[in-house]
Amino acid sequence: MVPPSEDEGTSRRNFYVVAIYGFWAAISAALGLPALVYLLFPPKAKKVDEWIEIGDIGRLALNSPVEMTFRRTRVDGWKVISEKSTAWVVKGAGDQVTAFGPQCTHLGCAYHWEESKGHFLCPCHTSLFASDGKVVAGPAPRPLDRYQTRLNGNRLLLGKLESPEKKS
Amino acid sequence: MRRRFRGVNEWVEHRTGIQSAVRQFLYEEIPASSGWHQVFGSVAMFLFMVQAFTGALLAFNYAPTPGDAYNSLRYILTELTGGRLMRGLHHWGASMIVVVVVLHMLQVFLYGAYKKPREATWMVGVVLLLLTLAYGLTGYLLPWDNRAYWGTVVTTQIAAQAPVLGPYLLRLLGGEGEIGVVTFARFYGLHVLLLPPATIFLMVLHIFLVRKHGVAPLPGDEAQPKKKFYPQQVFKDTVAIFIAFAILFMMAVAVRVPLEQLADPTDTSYIPRPEWYFLFLFQMLKLFSGPLEVVGSVVLPGLAVLLLILVPFIDRGQMVKVTRRGVALAFVLLAAIGWGGLTAAAVRSTPKETLAAAVDFSGPTDWMQLSPEEMVGIAYFRKENCVSCHAMGGHASAEGPDLTKASIHKDAAWMIQHFKRPSAMRPGTSMPPIQLTDAQLNSLAAFLLKLNEKNATALDNAPDFAVQGALLYQTNRCGGCHLVNGGGMRIGPPLNGLSKRQSRGWVEAHFADPAKMVPGSIMPPYKLAPKDLENLTSYLFALPD
């Protein structure tokens, strides 16, 4: 076998190297991009916005938050589950009713109302919220999230949970 | 900048030696005769990595328990973008890896590359082939559809036939009694926890042995100057890998992998068939019967594997040119003819129905779109045997008019009067009165109004479970609270898409005691006979979303 000349050998070698990288790049892209789409795109299932009736608020005292529990159905992956959920409901002046989501806006712990001190306390990192949801102290970055509310006589209906800051 | 980069490089090289290890691997000397015939090993390894990758992605959205497995796979296929592609890659990749591993083996066999000192490399390779088949066997169950369920019933029963070990194997596979959660967990555990590390270990050992003894040269090649693995042979391997991947990708995109009905242990009409690469074993089993059956199911395959492992010790001669290995070639041809013949016979014996059994979720079939009332009409249509006189399109010889013709469809009130006293509405007709209540006649009329030439066959083929299920739905007045296909009430949840939300077991338990499954539910309990419960649940599960 006659050894190829130096130049010819190098250019053929370069071709091999470029082709190897090219093929592997194509394979990685054809596998990697669909994988990212598969993992990151949300499922197609449409979410239905429905109002859930959670109870009678006729007996609530003014500015005294009460935890109300209710059941809601939620799409959870390949299932629709029925789960217990809660809201902290506060009746303000002039028939105004606010329902807060039950999780602290810092890292999602469950907070509670301290009747004697008159604020919401999150036990994890001692965030404090006023009865209107505003941050009083602690690491919480934003006021408590609120459910959309609707009244049907004295019956309270809850809609989507959203942050009051996003709305404004 | 460049100097700093080189500094980092030198540090990594000094502390780990990775670069020189990679260089040593790539610049391995291989015989001058190496070339395109030796690419299959690399392709098989690549396909294994594709399987591991797509398998992990599927596992991210998969619940490995019966029932949930089916629902979550359906979720992957219908709800997730790219889900169908991932499953397609994994499904067809499994077939492809079998093909490539066998090609790899054929090449080594034909060239006699298993000869001294490479006997151990060959034997490890045979074990890797068995592992590849074990993936196919265990993965087959994981979709938990009818195909998966019935295929595994047969598999475990075959394992049980093994002499001495049979009962223990069956117990290990959790296949005593019925195939259920235990078997499923074991198959899943094998498929994702035990087989992959075993494969990786043996692959590393296999490659180590290849490197230890060097790539097998052709006879007379030893004197030629050696060449390097990189870049020429790596280029050839890469091209082969790319071609294999391109074929796999196109199949995953173009060929739809079916998901059949949810596994139904009571479905006596289902004819199970194994994956195509096991069809020859399936067909061979038919050649043996009675006490000889074990020969076809266990003894012969066992002997074949043993023979395969012992190949290097049976053929101990010197390496010769491929063209002079006539016996080996004859052996391969014989095996190919045997395999091809058995597979062809098995394919020919497969009834068309099992091929068409896949449920097409892309669009509901005609009967799924009927209301329960119209479905009940089918029940009475069958009970009264209307087709004994009426044509359903096609047969012109029938006595009564063709019911699929729109021209004979009057309104429901006319039809009900006609059913009660046919001659009053059509003087001179020979049709006898139908002895049914008004409500029943109403259903029959509702169904006939929906019937047309296009859907006649589809509606005529509406499965019995659905018709019976709809009948139960109607007689128990489920529509008083629930919505199906847009008809009924909204007091309870709509029942379309129920199969996506709940497992079969959950729904059946819910019928018996709704308040236990959904605290506060106002639905009364329904004590249904087992067959009724099954029909009703199957019907509800078949409804379109």
Side-chain angles (χ1 to χ4, degrees):
Chain A
M1 201 171 85
V2 184
S5 73
E6 198 68 11
D7 270 2
E8 196 189 328
T10 329
S11 68
R12 179 181 293 186
R13 193 191 147 84
N14 282 343
F15 165 74
Y16 286 148
V17 174
V18 169
I20 289 166
Y21 279 101
F23 279 130
W24 280 107
I27 291 171
S28 309
L31 273 178
L33 295 180
L36 283 179
V37 167
Y38 168 79
L39 290 176
L40 296 178
F41 275 38
K44 287 168 197 158
K46 49 211 173 286
K47 290 209 176 88
V48 268
D49 288 332
E50 45 183 293
W51 291 85
I52 308 158
E53 193 180 301
I54 71 160
D56 193 333
I57 55 156
R59 296 207 185 140
L60 289 194
L62 212 64
N63 281 326
S64 175
V66 170
E67 185 178 18
M68 297 180 79
T69 61
F70 56 95
R71 289 205 79 85
R72 68 174 348 172
T73 51
R74 187 167 65 85
V75 178
D76 185 13
W78 45 91
K79 285 184 171 173
V80 174
I81 55 170
S82 166
E83 62 181 4
K84 210 180 95 176
S85 193
T86 65
W88 284 92
V89 181
V90 194
K91 196 152 130 189
D95 267 359
Q96 199 213 332
V97 176
T98 317
F100 297 112
Q103 289 182 310
C104 175
T105 53
H106 177 218
L107 293 172
C109 292
Y111 61 83
H112 58 267
W113 176 251
E114 299 260 294
E115 188 65 62
S116 56
K117 304 207 175 90
H119 58 221
F120 290 111
L121 167 71
C122 175
C124 290
H125 306 91
T126 60
S127 286
L128 296 182
F129 302 90
S131 65
D132 63 356
K134 294 234 172 67
V135 182
V136 176
R142 60 171 205 275
L144 292 171
D145 294 339
R146 295 161 179 228
Y147 288 102
Q148 293 177 332
T149 54
R150 188 191 284 174
L151 276 175
N152 185 5
N154 270 338
R155 319 287 300 175
L156 176 64
L157 286 87
L158 296 189
K160 259 196 301 199
L161 185 64
E162 45 192 26
S163 164
E165 285 191 343
K166 249 187 199 164
K167 220 161 59 174
S168 57
Chain B
M1 187 65 206
R2 171 157 270 192
R3 186 182 295 170
R4 178 168 301 169
F5 183 66
R6 214 163 67 195
V8 172
N9 250 354
E10 271 166 19
W11 187 91
V12 171
E13 167 63 15
H14 183 255
R15 302 304 195 282
T16 66
I18 273 180
Q19 282 144 346
S20 49
V22 169
R23 208 168 296 137
Q24 210 179 345
F25 187 82
L26 286 178
Y27 290 100
E28 160 92 20
E29 291 199 319
I30 55 173
S33 60
S34 303
W36 289 107
H37 60 283
Q38 276 147 333
V39 299
F40 298 112
S42 299
V43 178
M45 204 169 86
F46 166 75
L47 287 174
F48 173 75
M49 291 190 293
V50 172
Q51 290 305 93
F53 181 69
T54 53
L57 284 172
L58 288 174
F60 285 163
N61 286 301
Y62 175 76
T65 49
D68 267 358
Y70 182 83
N71 287 337
S72 56
L73 179 56
R74 211 181 132 176
Y75 167 78
I76 291 173
L77 295 180
T78 57
E79 303 282 314
L80 294 180
T81 315
R84 205 170 272 286
L85 176 68
M86 288 304 150
R87 197 222 176 183
L89 286 171
H90 199 71
H91 178 93
W92 295 118
S95 282
M96 199 143 176
I97 205 165
V98 173
V99 172
V100 171
V101 164
V102 168
L103 286 178
H104 180 46
M105 207 157 184
L106 281 178
Q107 183 269 318
V108 171
F109 183 79
L110 283 174
Y111 280 74
Y114 49 76
K115 293 187 178 197
K116 188 182 164 188
R118 299 184 178 81
E119 298 97 324
T121 323
W122 169 267
M123 291 192 288
V124 172
V126 173
V127 179
L128 279 168
L129 169 74
L130 297 180
L131 286 187
T132 309
L133 297 177
Y135 280 108
L137 213 63
T138 50
Y140 202 63
L141 178 63
L142 302 186
W144 198 252
D145 56 3
N146 250 342
R147 194 170 97 109
Y149 176 84
W150 288 105
T152 302
V153 168
V154 177
T155 310
T156 51
Q157 290 307 315
I158 287 176
Q161 288 182 344
V164 189
L165 289 178
Y168 301 101
L169 264 177
L170 190 63
R171 195 171 299 168
L172 259 182
L173 294 176
E176 287 177 309
E178 270 185 51
I179 304 285
V181 282
V182 178
T183 307
F184 194 95
R186 306 237 163 139
F187 273 48
Y188 182 72
L190 278 172
H191 194 80
V192 306
L193 292 175
L194 208 61
L195 292 177
T199 313
I200 291 168
F201 171 74
L202 288 174
M203 255 168 34
V204 169
L205 182 62
H206 194 67
I207 293 165
F208 166 78
L209 289 171
V210 170
R211 292 277 151 166
K212 179 176 165 60
H213 298 298
V215 172
L218 293 184
D221 193 27
E222 296 87 348
Q224 301 254 23
K226 302 256 183 194
K227 54 185 186 183
K228 305 280 191 208
F229 179 53
Y230 184 84
Q232 200 187 33
Q233 185 63 30
V234 173
F235 168 76
K236 288 175 181 168
D237 285 8
T238 304
V239 170
I241 284 170
F242 184 79
I243 292 171
F245 180 72
I247 295 171
L248 172 60
F249 198 86
M250 282 192 293
M251 284 186 79
V253 171
V255 190
R256 201 183 174 89
V257 186
L259 179 62
E260 294 184 357
Q261 296 271 17
L262 180 73
D264 182 0
T266 61
D267 187 347
T268 48
S269 66
Y270 194 79
I271 304 165
R273 282 288 181 278
E275 196 57 300
W276 65 267
Y277 41 83
F278 288 126
L279 277 177
F280 75 104
L281 286 173
F282 158 86
Q283 188 68 18
M284 191 172 70
L285 202 53
K286 292 186 186 167
L287 303 178
F288 301 90
S289 60
L292 281 179
E293 199 179 13
V294 69
V295 174
S297 62
V298 182
V299 176
L300 275 184
L303 281 178
V305 169
L306 195 66
L307 199 69
L308 214 52
I309 289 179
L310 294 179
V311 157
F313 305 101
I314 296 166
D315 171 26
R316 301 166 66 109
Q318 288 289 314
M319 287 273 276
V320 290
K321 280 197 174 134
V322 196
T323 43
R324 290 178 56 195
R325 285 179 54 81
V327 179
L329 191 64
F331 207 79
V332 168
L333 283 178
L334 215 66
I337 290 168
W339 180 86
L342 286 171
T343 304
V347 170
R348 216 173 312 125
S349 76
T350 302
K352 283 259 158 39
E353 284 87 333
T354 56
L355 293 175
V359 179
D360 184 5
F361 289 116
S362 61
T365 70
D366 290 318
W367 67 262
M368 289 179 181
Q369 284 167 327
L370 294 186
S371 71
E373 166 119 41
E374 291 153 358
M375 285 294 286
V376 169
I378 299 185
Y380 295 123
F381 186 80
R382 289 180 183 173
K383 186 164 164 271
E384 295 297 321
N385 206 11
C386 304
V387 285
S388 64
C389 293
H390 287 283
M392 292 277 282
H395 321 286
S397 59
E399 257 182 270
D402 187 339
L403 293 177
T404 62
K405 292 275 182 289
S407 55
I408 70 148
H409 289 164
K410 313 274 178 177
D411 60 338
W414 184 93
M415 283 164 109
I416 290 170
Q417 287 307 315
H418 174 59
F419 293 153
K420 286 182 177 170
R421 279 187 61 206
S423 56
M425 308 305 278
R426 281 211 191 282
T429 179
S430 57
M431 174 166 153
I434 304 177
Q435 308 290 339
L436 291 172
T437 66
D438 278 14
Q440 292 166 336
L441 290 175
N442 207 35
S443 297
L444 186 55
F447 160 65
L448 288 173
L449 286 170
K450 273 286 160 81
L451 189 66
N452 60 43
E453 278 167 295
K454 277 184 200 141
N455 65 15
T457 321
L459 293 185
D460 198 29
N461 288 335
D464 203 50
F465 76 80
V467 175
Q468 293 306 323
L471 200 55
L472 286 158
Y473 187 91
Q474 192 82 345
T475 49
N476 285 299
R477 301 180 193 288
C478 305
C481 291
H482 292 280
L483 206 59
V484 157
N485 291 344
M489 301 293 280
R490 275 186 187 275
I491 295 166
L495 296 175
N496 286 71
L498 181 66
S499 61
K500 234 182 222 171
R501 309 197 291 263
Q502 301 295 358
S503 72
R504 229 185 145 84
W506 188 95
V507 171
E508 297 192 350
H510 182 267
F511 272 123
D513 189 1
K516 190 176 139 206
M517 306 305 284
V518 180
S521 169
I522 57 161
M523 175 165 153
Y526 287 92
K527 296 267 176 286
L528 298 167
K531 189 75 200 164
D532 290 349
L533 182 61
E534 190 204 315
N535 283 336
L536 182 52
T537 312
S538 299
Y539 168 62
L540 294 176
F541 268 48
L543 293 171
D545 299 336

